[in-house]
Amino acid sequence: SARLADALALTLAAGVPIRQALILSSEATGDPEISHRAKATNEALKSGVRLSDAMAQTALTTELVIRLVRSGE
């Protein structure tokens, strides 16, 4: 969602580590489904999966956003 992307951009720009930023941003959306998917994405990151792959596995965001993330990895 756009709200997730905006919150994630702000937290990352503020220097918050990616895993913490992901959880904080998902909670800021107020959407329980996004929070659930973000937690699953976070667990995948914890186990060493690349961010783009983790986002794709959990369907956290759109394919376009996943491709953009992948291009920056």
Side-chain angles (χ1 to χ4, degrees):
S1 87
R3 186 176 283 173
L4 175 66
D6 289 343
L8 193 55
L10 287 172
T11 55
L12 290 172
V16 177
I18 184 69
R19 290 184 45 228
Q20 185 179 1
L22 189 59
I23 297 303
L24 291 171
S25 300
S26 69
E27 291 171 353
T29 68
D31 183 331
E33 183 60 30
I34 289 177
S35 290
H36 173 75
R37 290 178 186 195
K39 287 176 185 171
T41 301
N42 197 19
E43 287 301 313
L45 289 174
K46 188 176 177 180
S47 68
V49 176
R50 289 183 352 184
L51 178 59
S52 60
D53 292 337
M55 293 172 102
Q57 289 171 4
T58 62
L60 180 62
T61 189
T62 65
E63 184 62 32
L64 175 61
V65 172
I66 292 166
R67 287 181 189 164
L68 290 170
V69 169
R70 189 167 284 136
S71 72
E73 289 179 317

